[in-house]
Amino acid sequence: MLLRQILYFQTVVDQMSFSKAAEQCHISQSAISQQVRALEEELGVTLMDRHNRTFSLTPAGAHFYNKSLVLAADLERLRRETRRIAQGEQAKLSVGYLRSYGGSQFQDAVAAFSRQYPDVQMQIMDGNHEELYYALLSGEVDLILSDQRRKFNEAYGNLELARVQSYVEIPAHDPLARLNAIEPSDLQHMTCVLIAAEDQQETEREYYFNIMGFHGDFLFVGSLQEGRLLVASGRGFMPVEGIRENVYYDSSICRIPLVHKDRPVLRNYCAFWDPNNAGYYVEEFARMLKKEFEQ
C-alpha cells in the first residue's frame, strides 16, 4: 500500500469526482482510477460503489477515509518535526491580540498563516491595550492587534486594519435593548463591565471614563465569556471589540451601536510591530491580517 494511493483516494472523496481529483493531482483520470483500484486490491475490500459517473463510499470506505485523514495528519507532523530536527532550530512568530476582541479576523489570520507556513511555531498571547503595548516594547511579542489609543510611533510598523463602528452589549430584557443606537449618557446608571488584569484596571477605568464617557460604576472580569455571563444576568453592559455587527448574538444579549450626539463612535484597529525585530513572517502575518479585515 503506497501513501500516494491513499492521498489519491482522499482527494477523490474530497472532490467527489475522479476527474476533478485527477486535475488537482496533475495526473490523468484513468491513472488515478487505477491507483484507487490498486488500493482496494491491496486492502482486499471495496472502498467505493461506482455508479456510472458518480460513486458512494461503502461503510469500509468511509471508515478507511476517516482513519486515513488521521494517518495523513500524523505523517505531516512527522515530516515537519524531522525537518526541524535536521535544521537544528524552528522559526517562531509571537503575536498578541486584544482580550476583549470578539471578531474572527485574528483567528482566521492565524489559521491561514499556519496553513501556509506549518513549520513556523506560533506563540499567541492576549491582553488589553496597555498589556499588549508593553509586551511589544519589551520584545515579548513580534506583532500585536490592538486599538489605536496613541499617535502612531514612527519607530514602529503601523498598519491600519479598519476604522469601524463601536458597540456595547446589554441584557436583551433591558428596555434599552429596543434602541437602534445608544449614547454613553444613556448608560450612566448601568455598571460598565470591562476585561482587564488587576494591574491594568485603573488604566482601563480612566480611558472608558474620560475618553468613552462611561460615568457609572465599573466591574472588571478576566475574560470575554465571563463578561458576557454578567451582561446576560443583568449585571451591566460591556463595550465589545469586533468589526462585524453580527459577531455575537443570542437570546440573552443584544448588541447596539454606540453613538455620541447621534454620530457613530468609531474605533481604529491596527497591527503594530518593531521593524528592527521584524522579518518575513511578521510582515506576512500583517498582510494576512489586513486581508481578513478587508473581507
Side-chain angles (χ1 to χ4, degrees), residues 93-105:
L93 176 66
S94 298
V95 293
Y97 69 99
L98 286 169
R99 186 180 295 124
S100 57
Y101 189 75
S104 63
Q105 293 79 19

Side-chain angles (χ1 to χ4, degrees), residues 168 183-184 187 192 208-210 212-216 218 237 239 258:
V168 295
E183 298 262 355
L187 301 164
C192 178
Y208 281 95
F209 185 92
N210 296 321
M212 299 298 291
F214 298 145
H215 293 163
F218 290 87
F237 73 93
L258 185 66

Side-chain angles (χ1 to χ4, degrees), residues 45-57:
V45 301
T46 299
L47 298 175
M48 298 175 170
D49 287 329
R50 290 144 173 97
H51 319 285
N52 295 326
R53 295 185 178 182
T54 64
F55 67 86
S56 60
L57 290 178

Side-chain angles (χ1 to χ4, degrees), residues 247-258:
V247 167
Y248 179 85
Y249 278 117
D250 72 12
S251 60
S252 64
I253 290 177
C254 184
R255 176 172 285 194
I256 301 179
L258 185 66

Side-chain angles (χ1 to χ4, degrees), residues 3 6-7 10 65-81 118:
L3 174 61
I6 296 175
L7 296 178
Q10 290 176 348
Y65 173 75
N66 291 335
K67 293 298 182 181
S68 72
L69 295 178
V70 177
L71 174 62
D74 287 341
L75 289 173
E76 177 60 20
R77 281 190 288 271
L78 176 61
R79 182 191 67 81
R80 295 200 302 263
E81 290 171 359

